[in-house]
Amino acid sequence: MPSELLVEIFLRLPMFYLFRLIYCVCKSWCSAVLDVIFPSPGLLDLSRMGTYPTYQHKDYLRFLKILLDTRPNAQWHTLVLPPPLVWLKEHAILYIAQ
């Protein structure tokens, strides 16, 4: 199935399903989930994490790690952090910066 179609479908699902079930089906589905969670190429916008319930922060960070590990580092030119960085540990910020 084309990635664009998967993204359109996944945009209509609750984040819980993306975080827990959908991403593990196959690599193309995982890639489509990453495109839903981090939609802007070149912009690593973490401000959306503040809109998720606290219990989903760990899942969000897991997807951030998958994103940073699987997509080229050179494509990220802008990083947007949410105002309260209480939930983001120092080692996570260093990992993102690298």
Side-chain angles (χ1 to χ4, degrees):
M1 188 176 297
S3 178
E4 297 81 21
L5 184 56
L6 287 173
V7 169
E8 289 299 318
I9 293 169
F10 295 164
L11 281 170
R12 291 167 172 70
L13 296 175
M15 281 295 157
F16 172 80
Y17 292 110
L18 299 179
F19 284 154
R20 298 294 174 147
L21 304 171
I22 303 295
Y23 83 95
C24 60
V25 172
C26 65
K27 288 182 182 182
S28 64
W29 283 37
C30 182
S31 181
V33 168
L34 290 174
D35 290 341
V36 169
I37 298 172
F38 305 102
S40 302
L43 173 66
L44 191 53
D45 187 358
L46 305 183
S47 63
R48 290 180 56 195
M49 186 170 176
T51 64
Y52 299 135
T54 306
Y55 67 87
Q56 287 185 334
H57 286 183
K58 189 180 241 181
D59 294 326
Y60 186 88
L61 290 175
R62 179 170 34 109
F63 278 100
L64 177 60
K65 183 172 182 342
I66 292 170
L67 178 78
L68 294 174
D69 289 344
T70 59
R71 303 220 173 142
N73 297 341
Q75 75 180 24
W76 309 111
H77 55 76
T78 306
L79 173 65
V80 178
L81 294 172
L85 289 177
V86 176
W87 51 265
L88 198 57
K89 305 286 188 226
E90 183 179 335
H91 68 276
I93 295 172
L94 291 174
Y95 187 83
I96 293 167
Q98 291 175 348

